[in-house]
Amino acid sequence: MSSTLLTQPPPTTVYQLSFPAPHVLLVTINREKARNAINMAGHVEGDAIFSWFDQEPSLRAAVVTGAGKKAFCAGADLIEQNTRASGGQTRQQQRQQPTVMPASGFAGLSRRQGKKPIVVAANGFALGGGFEICLNSDIVVAAPEARFGLPEVNVGLYAGAGGLSRIARSAGLQVASEVALTARHLTPQEAKEWGLINRIAKSQDSVVAEAVEMASLIASKSPDGIVISRAGVRQAFETASMERASQITEQQYGRSLRDGENFKIGLKAFAEKRAPQWVPSKL
C-alpha cells in the first residue's frame, strides 16, 4: 500500500506507520515501555502526521492504536514534565524540545478538526490524554481489557486537551463530573453505555483488526460523501442549533459535492448496478 502513496509521510520518533488495508493508515503509538505516554515531541509529530493524512490522496481513513497489550495511551509523559518543571534539562535540551501543544491538541488528535475519519483501537488503558484522543475520535473500538479515565486530578492537573468539554457534551453533566472529579476508571461496558465508545471487540488480540475492518468499510464509500458527512456530524456537535448546523454544512459543501466527480460516479454506478470506482476527494 505504501508504494501507492503520492506523498511521503513526515518523519516520526513516536509513532509507527503502516498500511493494513487499501486506503487505510494505521498509526501505532510506539512507546510501549512508557505505556505509550506521549512526550511533547509526540504532539508535534502527531499534528504533522494527521495533517499529511488529510492531504494524501490515496488515504481515506485512519486507525490509531498503542503498542503492546498494556496501554493504548496512558496520557502525557509526566516524567518528562517533571524533569522540565524541576529544572533537570539543559538549556540546549529546553530549546530543542517543543513547549506548546499544537492547536490540534494531544497527539495532534484531541482537538483536531481535520477532514478524514479516525477510528481508535483502544487496546488497553486510555487515560488522560489517551482518553481525550478517544473523546474526539470519530469511532472507538475497545478491547475488553481497555479502561478509560481522566486521572489528572490525582497529580495536580486537569484534562486540558479538550476532554472535559467533549465528555460533558457526549455523556452529560453528571457522568462527566463523576469521571473528571473522582478519576476513576471506566470499563468498556460503562463507556459504551454512556455513548463514549462504539463497540467492544471480541478480544484484545482482535481489536486492531476490527478497527481496521471498520476503517475499510468507511474507505469503500464515496470519499466526498465521507468528508462531508463527517463534517456535518461534527458541525451538529459544535453548533447549538441543529438547523443552523445543517445550513452551515450545505453552504460549505453542497455545491462542491454536486459539482464533483464522485457524485457523478456514484449515480452512474447505481444506475448501471455495479460497484463505483471512486476517485480521490478534492474537497
Side-chain angles (χ1 to χ4, degrees), residues 141-272:
V141 181
E145 295 83 359
R147 294 295 182 270
F148 304 89
L150 298 174
E152 284 83 353
V153 293
N154 288 334
V155 293
L157 298 171
Y158 81 103
L164 296 179
S165 304
R166 287 172 173 82
I167 192 172
R169 182 64 64 91
S170 295
L173 174 64
Q174 283 72 30
V175 169
S177 296
E178 180 181 343
V179 173
L181 301 182
T182 69
R184 80 172 182 86
H185 294 176
L186 304 180
T187 64
Q189 290 78 12
E190 288 176 307
K192 188 172 186 295
E193 177 185 348
W194 289 332
L196 301 175
I197 69 171
N198 294 78
R199 61 177 61 182
I200 302 171
K202 295 176 183 177
S203 70
Q204 190 175 44
D205 290 335
S206 71
V207 64
V208 172
E210 291 184 47
V212 168
E213 183 179 7
M214 178 74 75
S216 295
L217 178 61
I218 293 170
S220 71
K221 311 303 181 183
S222 163
D224 292 353
I226 291 297
V227 168
I228 299 173
S229 295
R230 178 183 183 274
V233 169
R234 286 180 168 263
Q235 190 67 57
F237 189 77
E238 299 284 352
T239 304
S241 165
M242 289 185 290
E243 179 55 32
R244 181 60 186 145
S246 298
Q247 293 170 358
I248 292 171
T249 302
E250 171 61 25
Q251 289 165 3
Q252 289 183 339
Y253 293 105
R255 183 170 181 177
S256 297
L257 173 72
R258 291 184 286 273
D259 288 346
E261 268 191 89
N262 283 316
F263 176 71
K264 301 178 181 65
I265 289 170
L267 291 181
K268 185 175 182 181
F270 178 81
E272 296 176 356

Side-chain angles (χ1 to χ4, degrees), residues 1-40:
M1 171 61 197
S2 59
S3 62
T4 67
L5 295 174
L6 299 183
T7 61
Q8 290 302 304
T12 176
T13 60
V14 173
Y15 307 94
Q16 180 180 348
L17 307 185
S18 57
F19 307 91
H23 310 296
V24 175
L25 168 67
L26 174 60
V27 179
T28 303
I29 306 169
N30 196 26
R31 303 189 78 217
E32 184 178 356
K33 291 183 179 179
R35 295 193 177 185
N36 297 319
I38 305 292
N39 56 16
M40 288 304 296

